[in-house]
Amino acid sequence: MTDVAQWMARQRWYAAKGGVPELRTIAELDERTDEARVRTRFVIDDAATGAVLYQVPVTEHETLVPELEHARIQPDGPGDPDVLPSYDGPHDPAYARWLLGAIDAGSESLVPIGPVRDGRVLRGEQSNTSIICETETNGTVIVKVFRVLHHGDNPDVTTQQALSAAGSARVPRVFGALHGEWPDTGRPDGIAAGHLAFAQEFLPGLDDAWRVALDDARRGESFAEGADRLGAALAEVHVTLAGAMPTEPATPERVAQAHATMVQRLETAAAEVPQVAEHADAVRAVYARAADVAWPDLQRIHGDLHLGQVLAAPEPRGWVFLDFEGEPLRPLHERSLPDVPLRDVAGMLRSFDYVAGALAHDDDPVDAAAWAHEAREAFLDGYARGIGTDVRAHRAVLDAFELDKAVYEVVYEARNRPTWVGIPVAAVERLATRAAH
């Protein structure tokens, strides 16, 4: 495992950056195809930052494959002549053909993918690895290989499966997913299970809504029509999910739990950023008012929605939503629980505000405050029309979720982009002051 450990330490998806992996293999799938031996290892890294379970797919060939030299796992040099050349699986078209065949043959296949001609890895990803596959019958398919594994279904997979199975065009068409099991001594039955890979339609060359909105705002062009359609598209997603997946009432216990999470997040932000501490009492009052009123029913939602999670496809399709994994810092099982649809609405409202904030920080600053206000109102109009209820009737709850998102952003920016922390801080001040009147 020494070669694998040295190789893993250099990969973008390796979580303990700068550390030396301490690996132990807990399970392995071993398959042989006409092209290669495919070995999928389930490897625990006992890193100082905490144990992490990785999926490490490897292909072995009888001889060196020059075009895969960039993905070779062994170090340079002749090496052990008895050890077959091994490569990072996602970079090997032989692995792509095996993987998509396994998805087609699995229990979570929705639409057969068919024969795969070629595959290449999508650059730039960190936590996962995506392979762009050219197929004979379904055009270009993207298959996401989950590098870090957790017990439980991945909400990105199950939510998009439900939408696609219901005929929604608001997500890329889902072809299927691969589920797997591995030993887990911490579980009563000794077995954990979860998603290993996920295949869906690839939509290349499309701008995301962030880019579209930012360009419009920079030019001073109204985004009201696009925001209205975006609100209606989100309502369509929520209505479809409410019909396809379980819903439940917002019980006092669930409301109290959400309220406690908001307060904890506020305390963290107030301790790190003094400007938030100045408004902490007003923010707590907003949270308390929200906890005292009725909440809409809970259902599956996006969970981490912003303009960058939406693609601008040509009409008549329009807006297409991506990445339904939920907030990355929340445990996987929490991200799969029914939640308040207003959380998604609040996330998008904050994203419009971020467009204005980004332009204010530009080298050639633009005042887009009026643009953002118009876009926010148009988005709410479109959502209300699509959902059949004016969300402004739930203003107290929506205000609380929008403030909670801004507080979350304060902590993120303070830790990662201090020069941008003023954007969410201003939102906290504005929202807390508005709600007090």
Side-chain angles (χ1 to χ4, degrees):
M1 294 288 285
T2 303
D3 291 348
V4 174
Q6 293 174 348
W7 168 79
M8 276 183 61
R10 302 192 300 269
Q11 305 311 303
R12 292 171 64 88
W13 44 263
Y14 179 63
K17 297 290 191 292
V20 178
E22 297 183 15
L23 305 181
R24 50 190 170 95
T25 300
I26 61 170
E28 183 176 303
L29 302 176
D30 194 342
E31 301 276 350
R32 293 182 183 273
T33 74
D34 293 338
E35 299 178 272
R37 182 182 184 183
V38 178
R39 302 174 67 183
T40 303
R41 292 172 175 168
F42 298 88
V43 176
I44 290 181
D45 176 30
D46 294 306
T49 52
V52 177
L53 175 64
Y54 293 94
Q55 177 185 195
V56 183
V58 173
T59 57
E60 294 180 351
H61 291 259
E62 294 294 331
T63 59
L64 290 171
V65 183
E67 57 268 32
L68 293 178
E69 189 59 33
H70 66 286
R72 191 178 174 195
I73 292 176
Q74 295 99 332
D76 294 336
D80 187 341
D82 295 326
V83 176
L84 293 177
S86 61
Y87 304 92
D88 183 22
H91 289 266
D92 189 342
Y95 172 76
R97 282 186 274 272
W98 170 84
L99 177 59
L100 270 67
I103 291 174
D104 270 353
S107 61
E108 295 192 26
S109 174
L110 295 183
V111 179
I113 301 168
V116 177
R117 292 197 300 265
D118 200 5
R120 58 180 175 85
V121 167
L122 184 67
R123 295 182 178 180
E125 283 196 301
Q126 292 189 324
S127 58
N128 303 302
T129 301
S130 290
I131 314 169
I132 310 301
C133 300
E134 301 301 330
T135 73
E136 293 185 7
T137 55
N138 281 294
T140 307
V141 173
I142 181 170
V143 57
K144 182 185 293 185
V145 178
F146 298 113
R147 292 292 191 169
V148 177
L149 300 181
H150 304 275
H151 173 71
D153 289 340
N154 190 309
D156 192 29
V157 177
T158 54
T159 308
Q160 294 196 68
Q161 279 177 329
L163 287 165
S164 196
S168 174
R170 294 299 174 197
V171 293
R173 183 171 57 148
V174 173
F175 293 101
L178 185 63
H179 212 261
E181 295 183 346
W182 55 89
D184 186 343
T185 57
R187 299 193 59 76
D189 58 359
I191 298 293
H195 285 105
L196 306 181
F198 177 42
Q200 59 186 151
E201 171 190 14
F202 183 53
L203 299 172
L206 301 181
D207 285 334
D208 59 35
W210 169 264
R211 175 54 54 192
V212 175
L214 194 69
D215 289 346
D216 281 0
R218 184 178 285 112
R219 293 191 297 263
E221 296 180 4
S222 172
F223 190 66
E225 182 180 348
D228 179 276
R229 289 188 286 105
L230 183 55
L234 178 60
E236 182 184 322
V237 167
H238 283 166
V239 169
T240 304
L241 287 174
M245 303 188 81
T247 64
E248 61 184 57
T251 64
E253 292 77 15
R254 287 296 303 275
V255 172
Q257 183 182 44
H259 177 258
T261 300
M262 291 178 180
V263 171
Q264 179 58 52
R265 204 174 255 171
L266 173 63
E267 291 174 354
T268 300
E272 294 190 25
V273 181
Q275 299 99 309
V276 172
E278 296 173 12
H279 299 276
D281 288 342
V283 175
R284 290 190 192 96
V286 174
Y287 294 166
R289 282 195 292 273
D292 276 345
V293 300
W295 288 27
D297 285 349
L298 309 181
Q299 63 166 83
R300 185 66 68 90
I301 64 171
H302 185 284
D304 188 29
L305 190 60
H306 52 79
L307 288 163
Q309 304 279 38
V310 188
L311 293 180
E315 294 295 339
R317 188 170 189 176
W319 300 116
V320 177
F321 295 79
L322 307 173
D323 298 332
F324 285 71
E325 290 180 303
E327 285 185 358
L329 298 182
R330 296 178 69 189
L332 187 68
H333 71 277
E334 288 186 10
R335 289 184 260 154
S336 296
L337 293 174
D339 204 341
V340 187
L342 292 176
R343 188 185 298 277
D344 283 348
V345 176
M348 195 59 76
L349 293 178
R350 290 295 312 126
S351 203
F352 289 124
D353 189 55
Y354 252 80
V355 171
L359 290 177
H361 283 73
D362 210 346
D363 291 338
D364 185 14
V366 174
D367 183 357
W371 176 97
H373 177 76
E374 181 189 50
R376 287 162 56 93
E377 292 303 310
F379 172 77
L380 289 175
D381 288 343
Y383 185 82
R385 187 176 66 255
I387 209 76
T389 303
D390 192 344
V391 293
R392 296 172 180 87
H394 295 286
R395 190 82 241 185
V397 182
L398 181 58
D399 283 348
F401 276 110
E402 191 175 356
L403 254 174
D404 179 55
K405 185 67 173 179
V407 168
Y408 173 88
E409 293 163 354
V410 166
V411 175
Y412 176 86
E413 300 295 5
R415 294 176 179 177
N416 297 281
R417 289 187 300 189
T419 59
W420 281 43
V421 73
I423 298 174
V425 164
V428 170
E429 296 173 350
R430 183 181 69 252
L431 293 167
T433 301
R434 184 187 73 184
H437 294 87

